[in-house]
Amino acid sequence: MLSQLNNTIKELLFPNICMMCSKEHASGKSNPFCFSCTVNMPYTNHFKNQPNNASPKFRGRIPCVDVACLLNFYSYSDVKKMLHKLKYKGRKDIGFELGLMAGKKAKYSNYFNDIDLIVPIPIHKSKLIKRGYNQSTFIANGIAEFIKAPVREDVIIKYTHTKSQTKMNRIERVKNVRSSFKLADKNGIQGRHILIVDDVLTTGATIEACGNHLLESNGVRLSILCMCLARN
Ligand SMILES: [Zn+2]
């Protein structure tokens, strides 16, 4: 009774605000989205068929088993604002919730089978200290609730800042991004099917760089799951 009263007081003092539409809602304290936004998000249909319109991003670049994004991401959309809150406003819960949604779709699709490890794209240590967290790790933790595999943050390390790429051609850019990551556990991932996780898929250069490092280990297979596919 007392705890119920406490919860009611907490909800009055700290109303649950939806991270998409900014309205108050009652979808449960742990949910960052209201029911209406959850239903009406710009979902892709990537979990129904492979290949889908995210797959060509990696064709001829790295071999992938399955590729999917949860949401379509257009500039100046509510998805962009929501991602900003995830990355820069401390709302790790957004990442976890998106991960849950993507993990559930992946689990009940015909794809993303036999995943052994989930590897979030790492961020540099100085960025981690400044931001306090890696948003992709929270996404990966949400996915792991459905795809029962360990989340490994120690497999790939980002150890230098990526140099400015404005004057580079495509091949130089690929080399530049690749040289800012290193594989830290080559032996421990042999023969594994690894799910690479990131927040937004734009050019795919970062995922390609990390994927190439993972493929240095014998018998590794890769799948990719991103929360958003940049459409323009
Ligand atoms: Zn909403």
Side-chain angles (χ1 to χ4, degrees), residues 17-25 32-38 41 78:
I17 303 293
C18 172
M19 291 296 113
M20 287 283 277
C21 67
S22 305
K23 291 179 189 153
E24 279 185 35
H25 73 96
F33 308 119
C34 71
F35 178 74
S36 170
C37 285
T38 304
M41 280 190 198
D78 288 339

Side-chain angles (χ1 to χ4, degrees), residues 50-149:
Q50 298 284 337
N52 51 47
N53 66 357
S55 313
K57 293 260 185 193
F58 300 101
R59 207 166 282 153
R61 297 168 78 185
I62 46 170
C64 299
V65 181
D66 297 313
V67 181
C69 302
L70 177 69
L71 302 173
N72 287 306
F73 168 35
Y74 299 93
S75 303
Y76 309 107
S77 64
D78 288 339
V79 173
K80 187 176 185 178
K81 288 184 220 157
M82 178 258 283
L83 283 175
H84 185 82
K85 287 170 190 153
L86 164 63
K87 281 174 91 161
Y88 305 110
K89 300 287 178 188
R91 292 302 302 251
K92 300 169 265 203
D93 56 326
I94 294 174
F96 187 75
E97 187 65 27
L98 291 175
L100 286 177
M101 289 152 75
K104 192 174 183 182
K105 282 181 184 276
K107 181 182 175 176
Y108 295 110
S109 72
N110 293 323
Y111 308 101
F112 299 98
N113 299 315
D114 312 319
I115 301 285
D116 298 306
L117 298 175
I118 304 175
V119 173
I121 294 288
I123 58 175
H124 190 266
K125 201 175 169 186
S126 65
K127 204 184 255 185
L128 192 63
I129 290 166
K130 195 175 165 199
R131 190 178 296 172
Y133 59 96
N134 176 0
Q135 71 279 1
S136 294
T137 300
F138 283 84
I139 295 168
N141 289 340
I143 292 169
E145 293 285 314
F146 286 93
I147 305 275
K148 296 291 183 190

